[in-house]
Amino acid sequence: MLIDTNKHEFESIQCLKLLREFFTTNVVIQTNVGKVAFVQPKNYRGPHVVSEIEAYFESTEEAYKWLEE
């Protein structure tokens, strides 16, 4: 699953944290989705792979590449 929030102007980082929490803890998503890639504004995170199923990127191209691995 690719969640691209890169073009959105968020009120605060808390909005992104709530999205992350929903997509990484929701039981339905966990059982039906293999990986979750977040594309977020650079000022809200550093690109990194958190685990085998969760990662953060600057561009959709990087995210797609990781999802296809």
Side-chain angles (χ1 to χ4, degrees):
M1 174 181 281
L2 175 66
I3 296 121
D4 185 355
T5 60
N6 206 23
K7 304 286 186 206
H8 187 77
E9 293 294 325
F10 288 96
E11 294 284 324
S12 72
I13 195 167
Q14 189 61 32
C15 297
L16 292 170
K17 287 180 179 180
L18 289 171
L19 277 174
R20 177 195 176 270
E21 182 180 341
F22 174 77
F23 285 111
T24 58
T25 62
N26 183 287
V27 176
V28 174
I29 292 173
Q30 286 180 338
T31 57
N32 293 295
V33 175
K35 291 181 170 183
V36 180
F38 295 90
V39 179
Q40 297 179 337
K42 187 176 184 175
N43 57 326
Y44 285 111
R45 57 98 205 109
H48 65 286
V49 175
V50 175
S51 69
E52 291 180 0
I53 62 165
E54 179 185 357
Y56 298 83
F57 301 94
E58 255 183 72
S59 71
T60 54
E61 293 79 15
E62 293 172 312
Y64 278 125
K65 182 178 177 183
W66 179 78
L67 286 169
E68 291 173 348
E69 291 177 349

